[in-house]
């Protein structure tokens, strides 16, 4: 056994435990010193993961139960980036928390560790362990505002619905084991061959639903708006980008390695396509009447999951590349928007869209970053979102699903409406009497980074595209 | 084959990058410090100039130039890959690259643009001194330099179009630089909208090419248009390429001010004079000519009627603008119409089949026309914003450097041996006659006479006429006269590249063409010089010592028509007021009641559906869980039935 392959996970686990211990040792005070420590730990882990990616490490563990390949490394880098941005953007937010400030950072790291395990696991049980590591951390994070009824309610709802989805997923996994005698994804595939039976379909559907809950495909999305709204804003951002990407990381590997012959070419593919179409249409339509920014972003993230799943449906290298590419730029665009929302929540204690009024005057930089992030989410060139959608849609057109691409185009146009309504509020409405928004160093840095990346990748996508191709190639050879 | 290259070529991207850098620095950091801003801008553009000279050395003097003529050097980065889309002749996957293309045409343009831009920026330090928008001016200048150099280096049509629009934007910003003047604002809008008409055709042409060939790279397009290409008739007897060529030509009609889209250029003189020299004389307006040269392969493969049209329109514009110039009194407007006329010559050259002469004239014209404008700027500066030539007079004695260099430019544009304009204009006229266009030759020759006439008229009235008491002219500072001297020198020697062996023609010619040495026809050259001299002498005879225009008194009607520019602007205004507005009203009605009706209906539907979907979102956990479980069952059933496994469903209980 080559433990060096596990270096990123081991590093992060140690960092997380150390951070937790330090947080408990200094129970009182603002815990300001925790931020640089956490960032340092994350950067360290990123360095280790980036080294593995650059070296194009490809190894398996325990007879294929765990992978260390570029596909996993790409996602690990994504989770770590998301965690880093969340930590940076929430610095001031955490200062205002009533209690348990130290554990906040540890929980974010543990969630990231769970995601990393999900991305790397080649075995359904390992995968489940990763999933629960992530989700349990999130249960706590969502309910973090103990004084706030909404937050507690969201935490409880997430716990119960999460348990429901976990049960379904585990039930599905047990079917898989019953059918094949193995939980290692590669062995499942060779054992199943191209056979199909109602039992296999049942297993397949349950596994799919378990992940569809995490990535909020309609009709398994119903938790998302309530939980997004109730959770502390930085946690919502983390949930929207990282947890969703982790779901995709796991689902893509399970589908393309484990059930490739069952899913593609048969009716599961058509059903998946219909789910995606419904997700894109309903997600975007339901975002329109929302008045709360976080709820709007919840529906937006449902719609974005629909776009992402298009790459999964394509199911080839180009599709996987598109998913990886889009998931990465989605982190930056969404974090940009949510960082601004965090600032507003901090200054005004609210998340209604009308509270963004006059932001262009109150904080021109924050408004500009919000504008760029939202336009990128809508897929307007020359921003990163345009290129990402371009890859997704062209991948699926290549597989013959032109209709889905058209739905994607049209619904992207629809999404412009609700994204721009926020922009209109920021730029056109006076917003008299609302406070000036002061930007702390960390928030400013987060905003700056998200803006630059969103612009740069939009203008020159090739470097990230090359990374995504290299990762996709390590999954599908 | 392996393309030979010079070490400098891969650094070509730095040439537009330098002014971009200065634009960003000025825009974001130093705009509060005017002197620092102008210094940064000038340092950056001079760096570009040095790089351009280095590259030109590589092209013309290092021995690789001969192979570059047919095999341009390209350095590209990949931008986007299209997969799964089948277009035209391309295989399954193709992409769009962004990059630089270097061949002798690019080399000429790089030299001209960086040189004139550098000189104009140095000149502007004196001319714009004390202006409120000084830093903003240099930021725009840098942005323009970046765009123009990007346009020149573009390796494909999309990239070229992007920069084409950017130079249009810069032109708009700089014409309207003094935005507090209503006339400047109006002129800026007019320039932007008028050229937009031509750009529309260009964009359609680009789409046509992309649709047929699946690439926009110049070299690839040229190859694909080879003998194997089936050029089918598509529209009114026109083949695909012919139609595309006509559409593409509408870009130059707008940008290079050909009739009937010439109206914006004279009004563009509302901008600061150095801007007129750089953008509206030497560089941006010749972008259309450059585009013709760059896509010359398209015109060679299209029907000959296209080039015939190009040549005729150029000739007409040359004559048309020259006649108007005779009756103008504003020094900058005379020069503007002169620019239109000279652009006509360049387009004429392209039309009669000599891309070489067109590019040659582009280069020499850049030298002497920039010189004329900067000279005019020096005069305007000295006379405190007076622009009417009848208010000037006697400047020759007071402004020796400006006067001398202006005189050189007048001789050059009049085509007097051995000044720069002589060589290029003579080559155009000679080729026109040789390639069987006697009418174009005759009109071109007559226009040469008119050119000499109106330029001499300008010089005689403004510089040699009686002195005015109220004027106290003085020579401009050295920052303004130094560019005049440099351009004056080039206006003398710039044409000598054509002798003894025609080095310019050897390098600058269409890809894949064979170089044929074309000896000077001294008879034709002699005729041209005589005609030019005749124009100068008659203008001197008529205008020397006069206080008002004798021709206006002698031919009042003709003069009025010319002075009013054949009433083209009035005609357009009438059309817009009566026809376009009428159509607009109909469309407005259609928009309000039909289009908006549909859009509002859709919006209502979207809102309705959104609300309807939202109803399910009750906030109740039980509902969520029920939906969840029902969905699981539904999915299972749908897939099972869809896969024809319904019968096998009964066995589910006993899988093993």
């Amino acid at each position: 056994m080559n433990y060096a392959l596990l270096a990123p996970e081991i590093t992060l686990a140690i960092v997380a435990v150390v951070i937790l211990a330090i947080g408990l040792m200094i129970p009182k005070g603002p815990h300001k010193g925790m931020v640089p420590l956490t960032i340092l730990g994350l950067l360290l882990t990123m360095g280790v993961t980036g080294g593995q990616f650059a070296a194009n490490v490809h190894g398996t563990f325990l007879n294929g139960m765990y992978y260390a390949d570029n596909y996993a490394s790409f996602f690990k880098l994504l989770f770590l980036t998301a965690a880093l941005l969340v930590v940076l953007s929430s610095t001031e937010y955490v200062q205002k928390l009533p209690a348990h400030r130290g554990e906040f950072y540890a929980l974010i790291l543990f969630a990231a560790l769970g995601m990393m395990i999900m991305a790397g696991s080649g075995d359904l049980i390992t995968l489940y362990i990763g999933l629960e590591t992530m989700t349990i951390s999130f249960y706590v994070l969502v309910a973090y505002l103990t004084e706030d009824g909404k937050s507690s309610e969201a935490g409880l709802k997430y716990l119960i619905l999460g348990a429901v989805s976990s049960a379904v997923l585990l039930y599905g996994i047990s079917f898989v084991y019953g059918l094949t005698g193995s939980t290692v994804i590669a062995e499942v595939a060779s054992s199943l061959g191209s056979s199909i039976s109602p039992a296999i379909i049942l297993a397949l559907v349950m596994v799919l639903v378990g992940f569809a809950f995490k990535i909020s495909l309609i009709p398994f999305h119903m938790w998302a708006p309530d939980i997004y709204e109730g959770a502390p804003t930085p946690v919502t951002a983390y949930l929207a980008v990282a947890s969703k990407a982790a779901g995709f990381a796991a689902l893509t590997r399970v589908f393309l390695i484990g059930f490739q012959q069952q899913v593609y070419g048969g009716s599961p593919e058509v059903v998946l396509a219909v789910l995606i179409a419904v997700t894109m249409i309903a997600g975007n339509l339901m975002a329109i009447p929302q008045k709360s920014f976080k709820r709007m972003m919840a529906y937006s993230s449902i719609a974005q999951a629909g776009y992402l799943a298009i790459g999964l449906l394509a199911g080839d290298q180009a599709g996987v590349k598109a998913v990886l590419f889009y998931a990465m730029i989605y982190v930056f665009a969404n974090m940009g928007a949510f960082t601004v929302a965090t600032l507003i929540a901090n200054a005004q204690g609210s998340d209604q869209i009308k509270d963004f009024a006059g932001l262009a005057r109150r904080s021109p930089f924050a408004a500009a970053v919000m504008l760029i992030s939202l336009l990128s989410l809508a897929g307007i060139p020359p921003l990163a979102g345009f290129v990402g959608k371009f890859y997704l849609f062209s991948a699926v057109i290549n597989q013959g699903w032109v209709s889905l691409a058209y739905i994607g185009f049209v619904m992207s146009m629809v999404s412009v409406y609700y994204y721009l309504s926020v922009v209109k509020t920021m730029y056109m409405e006076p917003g008299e009497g609302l406070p000036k928004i002061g930007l702390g160093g960390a928030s400013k840095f987060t905003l700056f980074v998200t803006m630059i990346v969103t612009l740069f990748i939009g203008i020159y996508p090739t470097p990230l595209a090359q990374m995504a191709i290299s990762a996709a190639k390590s999954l599908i050879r | 084959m392996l393309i030979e290259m010079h070490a400098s070529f891969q650094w070509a991207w730095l040439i537009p990058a330098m002014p971009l850098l200065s634009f960003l620095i000025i825009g974001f950091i130093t705009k509060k410090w005017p002197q620092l801003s102008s210094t940064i801008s000038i340092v950056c553009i001079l760096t570009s100039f040095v790089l351009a000279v280095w590259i030109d050395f590589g092209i013309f003097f290092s021995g690789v130039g001969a192979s570059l003529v047919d095999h341009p050097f390209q350095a590209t980065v990949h931008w986007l890959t299209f997969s799964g889309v089948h277009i035209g002749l391309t295989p399954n996957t193709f992409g769009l690259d962004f990059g630089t293309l270097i061949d002798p045409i690019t080399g000429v343009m790089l030299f001209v643009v960086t040189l004139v831009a550098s000189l104009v920026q140095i000149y502007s330090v004196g001319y714009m001194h004390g202006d409120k928008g000084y830093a903003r001016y240099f930021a725009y200048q840098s942005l323009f330099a970046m765009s123009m150099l990007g346009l020149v280096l573009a390796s494909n049509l999309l990239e070229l179009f992007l920069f084409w629009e950017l130079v249009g934007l810069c032109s708009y910003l700089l014409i309207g630089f003094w935005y507090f003047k209503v006339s400047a604002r109006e002129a800026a809008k007019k320039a932007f909208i008028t050229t937009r008409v031509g750009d529309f055709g260009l964009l359609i042409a680009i789409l046509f090419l992309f649709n047929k060939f699946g690439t926009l790279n110049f070299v690839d397009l040229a190859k694909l248009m080879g003998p194997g290409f089936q050029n089918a008739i598509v529209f009114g007897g026109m083949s695909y390429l012919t139609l595309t060529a006509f559409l593409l030509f509408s870009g130059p009609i707008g940008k290079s001010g050909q009739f009937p889209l010439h109206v914006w250029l004279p009004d563009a003189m509302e901008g600061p004079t150095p801007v007129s020299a750089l953008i509206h004389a030497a560089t941006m307006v010749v972008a259309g000519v450059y585009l013709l040269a760059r896509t010359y392969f398209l015109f060679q493969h299209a029907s000959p009627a296209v080039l015939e049209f190009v040549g005729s329109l150029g000739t007409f514009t040359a004559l048309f603008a020259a006649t108007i110039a005779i009756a103008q009194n504003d020094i900058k407007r005379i020069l503007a119409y002169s620019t239109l006329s000279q652009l006509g010559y360049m387009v004429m050259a392209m039309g009669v089949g000599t891309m070489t002469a067109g590019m040659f004239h582009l280069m020499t014209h850049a030298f002497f026309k920039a010189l004329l404008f900067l000279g005019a700027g020096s005069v305007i500066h000295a006379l405190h914003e007076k622009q009417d030539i009848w208010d000037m007079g006697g400047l020759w004695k007071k402004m020796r450097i400006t006067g001398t260099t202006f005189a050189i430019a007048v001789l050059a544009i009049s085509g007097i041996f051995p000044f720069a304009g002589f060589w290029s204009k003579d080559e155009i006229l000679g080729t026109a006659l040789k390639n069987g266009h006697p009418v174009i030759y005759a009109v071109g020759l007559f226009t040469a006479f008119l050119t000499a006439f109106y330029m001499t008229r300008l010089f005689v009235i403004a510089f040699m006429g009686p002195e005015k008491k109220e004027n106290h002219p003085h020579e401009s500072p050295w920052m303004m006269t130094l560019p005049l001297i440099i351009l004056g020198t080039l206006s003398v020697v710039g044409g000598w590249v054509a002798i003894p062996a025609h080095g310019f023609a050897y390098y600058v010619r269409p890809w894949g063409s064979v170089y044929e040495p074309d000896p000077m026809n001294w008879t034709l050259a002699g005729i041209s010089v005589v005609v030019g001299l005749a124009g100068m002498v008659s203008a001197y005879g008529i205008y020397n010592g006069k206080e008002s225009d004798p021709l206006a008194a002698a031919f009042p009607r003709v003069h009025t028509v010319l002075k009013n520019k054949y009433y083209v602007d009035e005609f357009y205004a009438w059309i817009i007021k009566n026809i376009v507005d009428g159509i607009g009203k109909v469309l407005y009605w259609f928009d309000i009641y039909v289009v908006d009706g549909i859009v509002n209906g859709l919006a209502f539907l979207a809102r309705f559906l959104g609300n309807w979907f939202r109803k399910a979102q009750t906030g109740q956990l039980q509902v969520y869980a029920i939906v969840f479980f029902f969905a699981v069952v539904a999915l299972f059933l749908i897939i099972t039935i869809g896969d024809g496994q319904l019968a096998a469903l009964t066995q589910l209980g006993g899988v093993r």
Side-chain angles (χ1 to χ4, degrees), chain B residues 226-273:
Chain B
F229 178 65
Q230 299 287 323
N231 195 7
I233 304 290
V234 287
F235 177 73
M238 269 194 283
S239 70
Y240 194 87
L241 286 186
T242 306
L243 185 62
T244 311
F246 269 121
L247 285 167
L248 188 103
F249 182 50
S250 66
I253 292 179
K255 205 62 129 192
S256 294
Q258 298 300 295
F259 182 84
L261 296 182
H262 64 281
V263 290
W264 66 272
L265 187 59
D267 286 20
M269 298 302 134
E270 287 292 338
T273 310

Side-chain angles (χ1 to χ4, degrees), chain A residues 157 178 222 226 267 398 459 462, chain B residues 78-79 84 617 619 624 643 656:
Chain A
K157 275 184 177 172
M222 302 194 78
D226 291 9
S267 57
N398 210 8
I459 292 167
T462 310
Chain B
H78 200 58
W79 189 55
Q617 200 74 33
Y624 297 178
D643 255 5
R656 283 268 162 131

Side-chain angles (χ1 to χ4, degrees), chain A residues 438-450:
Chain A
L439 295 182
S443 313
K444 205 182 238 173
F445 180 75
T446 320
L447 291 176
F448 186 73
V449 168
T450 55

Side-chain angles (χ1 to χ4, degrees), chain A residues 335-358:
Chain A
M335 281 311 301
F338 269 108
T339 306
V340 178
T342 309
L343 288 169
I344 298 272
N346 247 1
Q348 297 165 227
S350 150
D351 59 4
Q352 298 298 301
I353 292 175
K354 65 174 165 39
D355 294 311
F356 287 73

Side-chain angles (χ1 to χ4, degrees), chain B residues 576-591:
Chain B
I576 288 169
K577 196 166 164 231
N578 291 295
I579 298 176
V580 179
D581 271 9
I583 297 172
K585 273 178 193 142
V586 175
L587 290 178
Y588 183 68
W589 183 90
F590 186 79
D591 188 53

